[in-house]
Amino acid sequence: MNKSWIAIATLLAFIAVSFAFSFSTIDAKAVTPVKWYSLEEAVALQKKKPKKIFIDMYTDWCGWCKRMDATTFTDPAVSTYLNENFYCVKFDAEQKNPVTFQGKTFNFVASGSRGYHELAAALLDGQLGYPSFVYLNEKLERITISPGYKQPAQIMPELKYVGGGFYETLKYNEFLAKEQ
């Protein structure tokens, strides 16, 4: 009888370990991280295979930016949609390195205690609040600016609106009304 219990216990332990590994594998596959590019990389990729560009304007000191990275951008639906429909760019709005975009070189401007990057100011129309998101079309023209922290449920309709090209024929409020 002892051998029966040992065999059953061994079998149950094997099944428990198998389930544990299979569930951890499923969970790991469910969260595909957002593939972030530099602006230069995204522009180069966009020339080979046109897609819209999603730019996350952030700063190192921005707590809401860090929260978006930890929550919203790790949401499986958000990360999958971003990866499939956009080239995603993380752009430090206070970086010191010059960036050339559409034939113009943009630089860091020392101002106050921190300063700002000219490209961030240009893409955000001077409204330097973080996080902010800039959507560019396949011709690298700005579609829209979206300021502020967003939870997955808040950003998904916006991503679908731009990613699906609905901005070309509908106002955002009209799109939202049709989605519900």
Side-chain angles (χ1 to χ4, degrees):
M1 186 141 171
N2 278 341
K3 288 184 181 181
S4 299
W5 285 108
I6 292 172
I8 292 172
T10 303
L11 180 61
L12 290 174
F14 177 75
I15 291 170
V17 169
S18 296
F19 275 114
F21 280 112
S22 66
F23 285 129
S24 66
T25 303
I26 291 168
D27 290 343
K29 288 180 182 176
V31 179
T32 303
V34 174
K35 174 66 175 142
W36 296 106
Y37 298 96
S38 70
L39 183 58
E40 294 84 357
E41 291 170 327
V43 169
L45 287 167
Q46 197 276 340
K47 287 178 184 176
K48 293 177 186 174
K49 183 182 176 193
K51 274 190 189 181
K52 292 170 185 64
I53 295 178
F54 172 87
I55 304 174
D56 173 16
M57 292 284 183
Y58 76 97
T59 62
D60 289 336
W61 52 263
C62 170
W64 289 110
C65 300
K66 291 174 184 172
R67 186 164 178 188
M68 289 237 11
D69 287 340
T71 59
T72 305
F73 293 137
T74 60
D75 180 83
V78 172
S79 62
T80 299
Y81 195 88
L82 280 168
N83 288 334
E84 289 175 359
N85 295 281
F86 297 91
Y87 293 117
C88 300
V89 173
K90 270 218 168 288
F91 192 87
D92 181 352
E94 295 178 349
Q95 69 175 304
K96 306 278 193 284
N97 299 330
V99 174
T100 301
F101 180 67
Q102 297 205 352
K104 183 175 185 220
T105 300
F106 296 86
N107 296 294
F108 176 77
V109 176
S111 174
S113 62
R114 290 195 174 93
Y116 63 93
H117 199 279
E118 290 175 320
L119 183 56
L123 290 173
L124 295 174
D125 286 340
Q127 301 298 310
L128 300 174
Y130 311 107
S132 285
F133 313 101
V134 178
Y135 295 89
L136 303 178
N137 67 16
E138 293 82 352
K139 296 177 184 176
L140 304 177
E141 301 164 333
R142 188 178 62 205
I143 297 167
T144 191
I145 300 167
S146 177
Y149 170 81
K150 292 174 179 60
Q151 295 175 2
Q154 294 170 307
I155 201 167
M156 279 306 297
E158 180 177 299
L159 294 174
K160 290 177 181 178
Y161 175 70
V162 174
F166 295 100
Y167 67 92
E168 294 174 350
T169 58
L170 294 172
K171 293 184 180 179
Y172 187 59
N173 290 338
E174 294 170 338
F175 170 77
L176 289 176
K178 283 188 168 200
E179 286 291 296
Q180 295 178 19

